[in-house]
Amino acid sequence: PISSFTTTKNGPPNQNPKGHIRIVGFGGSLLTSIFSRGGPYCLLCLFIGFSTRTQMASLLSSAGLFWARSLIVFLLLAVPSTRVEAQQCAEGDEVCMSNAQVNQQFTCKFINKSRFRADIHWDDGGYGTNIAFVEPNGGSANINTQVGHKFFVTRHGVKEGLHDPKTDNQHRFTVSKSNEVFTIPSDAAPSKERCQDRFSICESEAAKGKCSWSPGWMIVHCCKSCDKELDASRLIDPKVRCTRENLNVTTPAWGPGDLNKLFTSWATESQFKQYEPQVLSSPGGEHGGIDGPWIITFDNFLSDWEADGLIKGGHKMGFDRSTDQGETNEIGEQVKVVSQTRTSSNAWCTGACERMSEVQSVTKKIVKVTGIPKENYESFQILDYNPDQFYRRHHDSSVRDVTPPGPRIMTFFLYLSDVEEGGETAFTELGLAVKPKKGRALVWPSVTDDDPEFWDRRMYHEAKDVIKGKKYAANHWIHLYDYTGPNHWGCTGSFM
């Protein structure tokens, strides 16, 4: 292939349009000809669905299929040898040439002369499909595409469009011929006008009521279309939109002393014995473990049904390379950057995943054990580590988090699989490491007992390299204040 980025006539890059038959490998052009002629060879369709040679070989070698194999051989020999010819056009026949190119796939090149890393999006008539990124100051990317495809560009990691500073129009490109070169100019930059519609679909989405269904996302991406209903041109300023008073976020989950009370109850009360609590560290070593901040495991917290359900939910959402949060722009968007210290893949358990009965069972159990309402939780992050993957030393909170949800006060970490070797969670300041065990929960605070607004610098940790096997895990990050409300209004940094 010329490039790793490809588009199809009726579908986005790297996707097969729904309802289309994928014809690959030996005999592809012949089968394409058969189907295009509408011939009576539909029995071959049975074999087109087997997209790998292994599956086809398995099928054709099965006992009892001698006659099926014979029939296929007969059909391949009986059908006249055909091939798809490229359309021949007379010299100077521009109409013919244009029609021929519409169905032809070829390469176009994007050159980014701006100072911003840029994402290239295929304009699918909705919110766009991100297909490639290009480095700043002369970076380039080749894309396989077709005549008529449209693209727009944004800053990398957010959907903040790059505009012409003279006209304030977003840079957009339409493919008109093969081997076309598109240039993102050196002066391309985000618009100075904060309240704008980033997508052509904004007006119709607002008419469907999405401004009230998803106000944070719509204020940032479809500000003009939501201005009348939400006063979006005012609320697009996060200093106005994201105050705790405006969001009615006033009651913290913990006050001074509550952290110690909760962990002490886990270590001492009989109602928690069913989960097999093991204290690895406690203040003064009073309740077991070393002298240090609270760290506790529940060695029998999840059932296999719950653990397997979380893994299933991760696959349902799709695992992507883990990212970190970068800088925040003036409307509250945080740039997503590929992590250099974290090589795992992760999936956010939202929507259909969050509605799964297994997932709801686990969250309800954590709510019951902690006494902290679900509104304070981030959605499950489900993690997938392969051999040699890791997450280097980090902290789950910041020194003093003044955002509306407040700091992450506690991490409730769940091991969803056993790991043959490696993959431990190691607390680097304390010399402790916890081995993955399916069904085990590992819980630690990220703040201090006397001031839950302030981080505990002792709680740095890392995920050690997986040496052998595969590691699945999941975690709820729990905040001091309501997280769901601020997230709904776009006050947690994530809008993708």
Side-chain angles (χ1 to χ4, degrees), residues 75-86:
L75 289 173
L76 290 174
L77 293 174
V79 175
S81 177
T82 60
R83 56 194 177 95
V84 179
E85 297 277 351

Side-chain angles (χ1 to χ4, degrees), residues 23-29 53:
I23 303 175
V24 295
F26 174 76
S29 61
R53 291 182 175 83

Side-chain angles (χ1 to χ4, degrees), residues 165-224:
K166 300 181 183 66
T167 64
D168 202 37
N169 293 328
Q170 186 175 0
H171 287 291
R172 295 177 178 273
F173 307 94
T174 301
V175 178
S176 61
K177 59 183 179 180
S178 63
N179 301 315
E180 203 161 2
V181 177
F182 298 112
T183 300
I184 305 170
S186 59
D187 60 355
S191 174
K192 293 181 180 179
E193 174 56 53
R194 293 192 294 184
C195 187
Q196 57 180 275
D197 284 350
R198 292 178 170 179
F199 311 103
S200 57
I201 202 174
C202 281
E203 190 173 339
S204 62
E205 292 291 270
K208 295 175 185 175
K210 195 169 181 180
C211 297
S212 57
W213 301 343
S214 185
W217 198 95
M218 290 295 284
I219 286 170
V220 168
H221 292 93
C222 297
C223 182
K224 286 185 177 179

Side-chain angles (χ1 to χ4, degrees), residues 12 17 20 27 38 41 85 100 140 168 172 182 205 211 242-243 263 286 333 335 357 371 405-406 408 478 493:
H20 285 218
Y41 305 105
E85 297 277 351
S140 64
D168 202 37
R172 295 177 178 273
F182 298 112
E205 292 291 270
C211 297
C242 297
T243 63
F263 278 80
E286 180 180 356
E333 290 177 290
V335 176
S357 56
R408 293 169 174 169
I478 303 175

Side-chain angles (χ1 to χ4, degrees), residues 86 102 145 158 193 313 324 343 367 372 403 406 481:
V102 165
T145 185
V158 292
E193 174 56 53
D324 291 331
T343 59
V367 168
I372 299 174
T403 60
Y481 294 91

